[in-house]
């Protein structure tokens, strides 16, 4: 039985990756941070499945605490390590840049150095981001120039670069997935796609009237998160490590996402959307579009969910959550 360690396991990608690995027969260990509130909603359903529970474990540790990482690596001795943890909200990174750098950038370094120092011969995956391209003209592939436009993107670029450095300097099997935007019902409620889908469902039910947004003209390459964690796993199965851009190759604006969501609930978005300057970034990324031809060719990975289907999945999940709430059943919207 192969053993995997996932940082950020309680997030969107981490929860989907845990389910994927368990289905493939792995023993899965995840890191969770100590918090005054419960933050395991996305992985709680795994514990409810008696067939999965014996092979899934959560451990208290933190990317800001190197000693906790050393201890976990010694105790678990994983075959694969997936570093998905980060302060991942781009707009918030302008407000807390130092914390973002400590967790997203230095955290990756602490984990790599812990692996090197302990001698654990695990394969390593770093969750890189399309935000690293920033102002670079689309489409963007593995050879495109990086031009980050936020503290988050700068931190991700450091993590990406240090992963390459440890691969080349120490011969580690270290790969990076440069993932473009990928969404699902498990997306955090403060992220724009989830915020829009949730608002559309609530406005249709008369539970909300206005939706406050920032730049509607920003264009992104949006895909479906469960398919993107498959690409992570495929990278780790290769004998040769490397870096791969993962995306659909299509771009759609925030405005298009809004239009699709509100069309599904038969509402005119212009009656409800208000532009709020507070949501504008100090420096904007205008357009991101993946050229994932390398991943198609080498990994055999292809996206399967269209933009419209993705929007429908998210809006339907929000509607179902409202139905459960109305019927008195506690909604686990992030677990759909």
């Amino acid at each position: 039985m192969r053993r995997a360690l996932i940082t950020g396991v309680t997030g969107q990608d981490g929860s989907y990756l845990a389910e994927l690995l368990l289905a493939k027969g792995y023993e899965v260990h995840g890191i969770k941070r100590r918090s005054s509130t419960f933050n395991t909603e996305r992985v709680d359903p795994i514990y409810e499945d008696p067939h999965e529970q014996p092979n899934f474990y959560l451990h208290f540790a933190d990317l800001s605490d190197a000693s906790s990482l050393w201890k976990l690596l010694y105790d678990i001795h994983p075959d694969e390590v997936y570093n998905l943890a980060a302060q991942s909200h781009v707009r918030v990174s302008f407000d807390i840049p130092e914390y973002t750098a400590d967790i997203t950038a230095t955290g990756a370094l602490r984990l790599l150095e812990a692996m090197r120092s302990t001698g654990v011969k695990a394969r390593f995956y770093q969750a890189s981001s399309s935000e690293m391209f920033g102002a670079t003209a689309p489409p963007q592939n593995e050879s495109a120039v990086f031009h980050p436009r936020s503290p988050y993107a700068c931190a991700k670029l450091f993590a990406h670069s240090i992963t390459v450095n440890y691969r080349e300097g120490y011969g580690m099997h270290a790969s990076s997935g440069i993932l473009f935007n990928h969404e699902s019902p498990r997306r955090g409620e403060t992220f724009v796609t989830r915020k829009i889908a949730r608002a559309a469902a609530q406005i249709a039910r008369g539970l909300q009237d206005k939706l406050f947004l920032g730049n509607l003209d920003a264009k992104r390459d949006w895909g479906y998160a469960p398919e993107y964690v498959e690409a992570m796993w495929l990278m780790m199965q290769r004998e040769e490590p490397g870096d791969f851009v993962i995306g659909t190759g299509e771009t759609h604006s925030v405005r298009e996402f809004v239009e699709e969501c509100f069309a599904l609930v038969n509402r005119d978005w212009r009656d409800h959307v208000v532009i709020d300057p507070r949501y504008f970034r100090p420096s904007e990324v205008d357009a991101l579009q993946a050229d994932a031809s390398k991943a198609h060719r080498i990994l055999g990975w292809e996206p399967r969910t269209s933009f419209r289907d993705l929007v429908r999945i998210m809006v339907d999940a929000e509607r179902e959550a409202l139905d459960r709430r109305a019927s008195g059943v506690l909604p686990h919207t992030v677990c759909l």
Side-chain angles (χ1 to χ4, degrees):
M1 179 180 291
R2 284 184 289 179
R3 191 173 296 138
L5 173 63
I6 305 172
T7 74
V9 73
T10 59
Q12 170 188 256
D13 291 5
S15 61
Y16 282 124
L17 179 61
E19 291 173 354
L20 175 71
L21 296 180
L22 287 167
K24 292 183 178 295
Y26 280 67
E27 179 180 295
V28 177
H29 296 259
I31 289 178
K32 64 176 180 178
R33 291 180 295 115
R34 173 67 180 91
S35 174
S36 59
T37 58
F38 292 110
N39 59 354
T40 59
E41 294 91 351
R42 295 178 179 89
V43 294
D44 284 344
I46 296 176
Y47 283 113
E48 297 170 7
D49 186 339
H51 299 293
E52 302 291 8
Q53 185 178 353
N55 297 326
F56 182 66
Y57 306 88
L58 289 177
H59 307 268
F60 285 113
D62 200 301
L63 287 182
S64 66
D65 178 13
S67 63
S68 67
L69 303 177
W70 280 56
K71 183 178 185 301
L72 271 185
L73 289 171
Y74 272 127
D75 291 346
I76 298 171
H77 212 82
D79 301 294
E80 297 173 5
V81 175
Y82 295 84
N83 184 35
L84 311 185
Q87 190 302 100
S88 58
H89 198 288
V90 177
R91 179 61 190 85
V92 171
S93 76
F94 287 98
D95 300 323
I96 49 171
E98 184 178 346
Y99 175 77
T100 299
D102 184 46
I103 300 303
T104 308
T106 313
L109 172 59
R110 291 188 186 102
L111 185 52
L112 283 163
E113 181 61 14
M115 292 174 63
R116 186 190 71 83
S117 299
T118 58
V120 171
K121 300 299 183 184
R123 296 184 176 188
F124 178 81
Y125 172 84
Q126 168 59 29
S128 293
S129 169
S130 60
E131 288 286 333
M132 300 187 307
F133 292 117
T136 301
Q140 296 103 353
N141 60 23
E142 294 82 2
S143 61
V145 175
F146 294 122
H147 189 157
R149 300 269 287 169
S150 67
Y152 167 77
C154 292
K156 277 293 187 182
L157 181 52
F158 175 87
H160 177 82
S161 299
I162 202 67
T163 299
V164 174
N165 182 261
Y166 270 64
R167 179 172 71 217
E168 296 177 349
Y170 300 114
M172 292 177 63
H173 192 293
S175 298
S176 290
I178 307 174
L179 272 56
F180 282 61
N181 294 65
H182 47 289
E183 317 298 320
S184 77
R186 298 185 189 180
R187 195 51 138 154
E189 293 177 2
T190 60
F191 287 81
V192 68
T193 51
R194 178 83 188 282
K195 180 179 177 180
I196 295 168
R198 191 182 191 202
Q202 295 197 143
I203 287 170
R205 302 287 178 91
L207 302 173
Q208 182 175 335
D209 182 50
K210 298 299 180 183
L211 169 61
F212 296 91
L213 296 173
N215 181 13
L216 299 185
D217 296 320
K219 295 181 178 180
R220 294 293 183 268
D221 184 331
W222 275 303
Y224 188 38
E227 297 169 3
Y228 284 51
V229 300
E230 294 173 11
M232 299 176 189
W233 179 78
L234 287 170
M235 291 178 215
M236 299 287 265
Q237 309 318 303
R238 298 187 68 245
E239 289 304 315
E240 292 296 323
D243 306 322
F244 293 87
V245 161
I246 303 296
T248 70
E250 296 183 10
T251 59
H252 298 274
S253 67
V254 175
R255 180 178 283 102
E256 288 178 78
F257 201 99
V258 170
E259 291 171 347
E260 290 289 337
C261 284
F262 277 79
L264 287 171
V265 298
N266 299 312
R267 292 291 187 277
D268 188 337
W269 67 273
R270 289 164 293 193
D271 294 335
H272 303 282
V273 172
V274 178
I275 303 302
D276 188 336
R278 293 178 301 172
Y279 294 111
F280 282 89
R281 302 178 186 177
S283 51
E284 184 58 85
V285 174
D286 295 325
L288 296 173
Q289 181 183 10
D291 171 7
S293 54
K294 178 181 176 182
H296 302 336
R297 184 178 71 256
I298 296 177
L299 301 179
W301 181 87
E302 297 277 355
R304 301 184 298 274
T305 303
S306 70
F307 173 72
R308 285 190 172 183
D309 287 342
L310 170 64
V311 174
R312 182 177 293 278
I313 288 169
M314 295 187 69
V315 172
D316 285 349
E318 298 297 340
R319 286 166 151 175
E320 291 168 11
L322 290 175
D323 289 340
R324 289 196 300 275
R325 184 180 296 130
S327 65
V329 178
L330 183 65
H332 292 289
T333 57
V334 296
C335 297
L336 296 172

